[in-house]
Amino acid sequence: MSRLIVISNRVPMPEKNGTAPAGGLAVALQAALEERGGVWMGWSGKSSGTKEPEPLALTERGNITYALTDLTKTDVEEYYHGFANRVLWPICHYRLDLAEYARKEMAGYFRVNRFFAHRLAPLLKPDDIIWVHDYHLIPLAAELRQMGVKNRIGFFLHIPWPPADVLFAMPVHEEIMRGLTHYDLVGFQTDHDLENFRGCLVREGFGNAIGEGLYLSHGRTFKGGFYSIGIETAAFAEFARKAAASVMVRKARQSLEGRDLIIGVDRLDYSKGITQRIDAYESFVSRNPAHQGKVSYLQITPKSRSEVPEYEAMQRTVAEQAGRVNGALGTVDWVPIRYINRSIGRPVLAGLYRLAKVGLVTPLRDGMNLVAKEFVAAQDPEDPGVLVLSRFAGAARELKGALLVNPYDIEGTANAIARALTMGREERIQRWQGMMTHLLEHDVKRWCDDFLADLTAEAENPAPATSDGQG
């Protein structure tokens, strides 16, 4: 079996006892690396300032070599804070108004990808399978090919892929598209993302679709597929069951004093629709006096990318909005919104999901959104809560038992909250069972196995993505 080489912007280092850090993706990739042996390479998260970074820091853990590199201060600013997060992230989330293009940042993005390629190449063996992750590293295959690397290389995009009219507004869209054609397999979260990619490829003449899941570009044949990422469903369900008895979850239950809990958990990001969600909750409470004082909305929003001005401004906006709603609607013994601006450990989070009557997952655009899947997995089978889910999250393509909403429709979302809170137990169980069955079958290990099976298959015999969202 060939070794597996994983490259991602950041590398979740295992604990000293060898266990993977919290998070299904880290668990799945570490398991695949353990099985095949291999290397996980990426940025250390540290800056070497104005000095050239030291050689790769290599750490052996069992079958896996973790290879970390620092970046210079200029590289971090231009590659990470600049092009990746001020251009690619907003454009892939359909936010042209927030994309700030600067030529030097674009140059920094390609320069760092070249730097990664030069650091990776000496570690490679001829039959290694290479798996590149996410928007930070789109040009990496092209850089490796330029150096003569002939290994099979796959790419998976964890965020949405936009339609042609959105992508083509980016001045360097041709270089980005060309970068993707150097992979042997390009994977997306949903069929919609794959359709958008195909549209970009064909419309601009970068290549042609020559068969189901097969594309031709500049003489190279490569595969495209969609592989909806899952969570470690069974393990997370067990987490939630055990967490129900934890001290923090017991305290949360007591503090609710019999009120129904509505929960939202999001990284602080403009793509998550948090301000629209608070507006919808305010509309629900205002128009349903019978629920006033009988519900509590907990919004957990850890800080994110506070070095980027848009995120710092958003942090203030959300805090002010929650404060305004509490001031307008709250009473001496009732705070309508509890807003927490820090991370909470996954075991406690699992217990809070299980406690909640409603999960509000309403991003304006999201590649998948694993919070939606975690909320479903955490529920009590005998008395499950209801998932209110944005139709613009990738998870909406799979979780058919959710109440789908348009997050831009404030009143429509408010109505869905009201419906979720009053839904009968029988309907809740029926909706939950269908979603849970799907998540148990399509967990993160299945996602990992499906992608690697397609990547390692011979190019002449591609395995196209199937209609159920898996490769």
Side-chain angles (χ1 to χ4, degrees):
M1 184 183 283
S2 302
R3 284 197 318 169
L4 176 62
I5 312 296
V6 173
I7 307 98
S8 56
N9 176 58
R10 296 293 286 272
V11 178
M13 288 293 289
E15 309 295 334
K16 290 217 167 94
N17 62 6
T19 59
L25 177 63
V27 171
L29 288 176
Q30 184 172 309
L33 282 160
E34 280 285 1
E35 183 184 349
R36 292 171 168 270
V39 177
W40 194 339
M41 181 194 160
W43 176 36
S44 64
K46 298 173 188 169
S47 167
S48 60
T50 55
K51 296 179 184 172
E52 267 301 298
E54 295 286 329
L56 279 174
L58 303 176
T59 305
E60 305 280 341
R61 289 276 196 279
N63 248 357
I64 309 171
T65 300
Y66 294 88
L68 300 182
T69 182
D70 297 348
L71 294 174
T72 66
K73 184 180 176 186
T74 301
D75 285 345
V76 173
E77 188 51 45
E78 293 177 2
Y79 149 80
Y80 182 69
H81 296 314
F83 192 80
N85 286 323
R86 287 201 197 112
V87 181
L88 281 176
W89 178 272
I91 281 175
C92 286
H93 288 86
Y94 298 53
R95 292 299 302 269
L96 287 174
D97 57 317
L98 294 177
E100 295 179 20
Y101 174 78
R103 191 163 290 279
K104 68 170 187 172
E105 293 181 342
M106 178 273 289
Y109 176 76
F110 284 90
R111 182 180 67 246
V112 170
N113 271 271
R114 193 170 307 120
F115 171 76
F116 267 67
H118 280 276
R119 294 219 142 180
L120 176 65
L123 305 178
L124 296 176
K125 296 178 180 177
D127 64 342
D128 285 343
I129 299 294
I130 303 170
W131 190 359
V132 180
H133 286 265
D134 229 2
Y135 61 104
H136 312 86
L137 300 169
I138 290 172
L140 188 59
E143 296 293 348
L144 289 168
R145 301 294 186 209
Q146 188 82 16
M147 297 170 67
V149 172
K150 293 183 167 46
N151 301 56
R152 292 191 71 75
I153 312 177
F155 176 82
F156 185 78
L157 185 71
H158 291 261
I159 65 175
W161 186 261
D165 282 338
V166 176
L167 184 76
F168 293 170
M170 181 170 61
V172 287
H173 69 270
E174 289 184 36
E175 289 90 335
I176 294 296
M177 284 298 299
R178 202 172 296 119
L180 287 169
T181 67
H182 287 275
Y183 289 94
D184 295 291
L185 173 62
V186 181
F188 300 93
Q189 294 278 22
T190 70
D191 53 337
H192 289 169
D193 296 317
L194 182 60
E195 282 168 20
N196 285 343
F197 173 73
R198 175 179 171 148
C200 292
L201 196 72
V202 173
R203 195 170 118 181
E204 197 77 347
F206 294 120
N208 291 305
I210 56 172
E212 191 67 31
L214 199 57
Y215 303 90
L216 179 66
S217 175
H218 299 97
R220 279 198 86 254
T221 301
F222 67 99
K223 291 185 280 187
F226 62 99
Y227 308 82
S228 300
I229 193 168
I231 61 169
E232 71 286 32
T233 312
F236 198 82
E238 186 63 14
F239 249 168
R241 193 182 63 76
K242 287 180 177 171
S246 80
V247 174
M248 266 191 79
V249 175
R250 277 210 313 272
K251 282 183 179 174
R253 186 186 294 109
Q254 287 162 7
S255 74
L256 288 169
E257 297 174 334
R259 297 186 179 102
D260 289 330
L261 177 64
I262 299 171
I263 193 168
V265 179
D266 309 83
R267 199 166 47 75
L268 186 68
D269 189 278
Y270 49 75
S271 66
K272 301 300 183 183
I274 298 169
T275 56
Q276 290 86 349
R277 186 184 312 162
I278 292 174
D279 284 342
Y281 175 74
E282 181 183 20
S283 173
F284 156 72
V285 171
S286 300
R287 295 184 330 180
N288 292 273
H291 283 287
Q292 290 178 16
K294 294 184 178 171
V295 292
S296 187
Y297 166 30
L298 172 61
Q299 178 62 49
I300 300 169
T301 306
K303 292 179 185 177
S304 165
R305 299 175 190 154
S306 45
E307 314 83 356
V308 181
E310 292 86 354
Y311 290 86
E312 199 179 342
M314 190 187 167
Q315 190 175 319
R316 285 195 304 273
T317 301
V318 174
E320 287 167 6
Q321 189 182 14
R324 180 188 58 74
V325 173
N326 284 338
L329 297 175
T331 60
V332 172
D333 62 344
W334 176 54
V335 179
I337 300 176
R338 303 179 185 193
Y339 177 54
I340 296 176
N341 204 200
R342 60 183 178 81
S343 295
I344 288 182
R346 284 181 98 226
V348 173
L349 207 49
L352 292 173
Y353 287 142
R354 195 177 181 91
L355 198 57
K357 193 88 181 271
V358 179
L360 274 185
V361 183
T362 56
L364 305 180
R365 185 73 53 181
D366 223 334
M368 179 48 58
N369 195 297
L370 298 182
V371 167
K373 296 186 173 185
E374 288 178 351
F375 178 81
V376 172
Q379 295 310 299
D380 177 355
E382 301 300 317
D383 189 21
V386 179
L387 177 62
V388 175
L389 178 63
S390 165
R391 62 177 60 256
F392 303 124
R397 303 292 295 151
E398 297 180 87
L399 301 179
K400 305 301 184 188
L403 295 181
L404 294 188
V405 296
N406 172 0
Y408 295 95
D409 179 0
I410 303 303
E411 288 188 15
T413 305
N415 291 339
I417 294 171
R419 184 181 168 198
L421 284 168
T422 55
M423 188 180 290
R425 182 167 165 272
E426 195 174 315
E427 183 181 352
R428 284 188 281 118
I429 290 174
Q430 188 179 7
R431 285 173 174 271
W432 174 81
Q433 281 177 340
M435 294 189 289
M436 189 63 174
T437 299
H438 177 87
L439 292 182
L440 285 166
E441 185 181 343
H442 298 97
D443 64 1
V444 70
K445 186 180 183 305
R446 162 85 180 264
W447 165 82
C448 190
D449 291 346
D450 284 350
F451 186 93
L452 288 174
D454 280 5
L455 178 57
T456 53
E458 289 303 313
E460 305 83 53
N461 184 29
T466 57
S467 60
D468 71 349
Q470 303 300 310

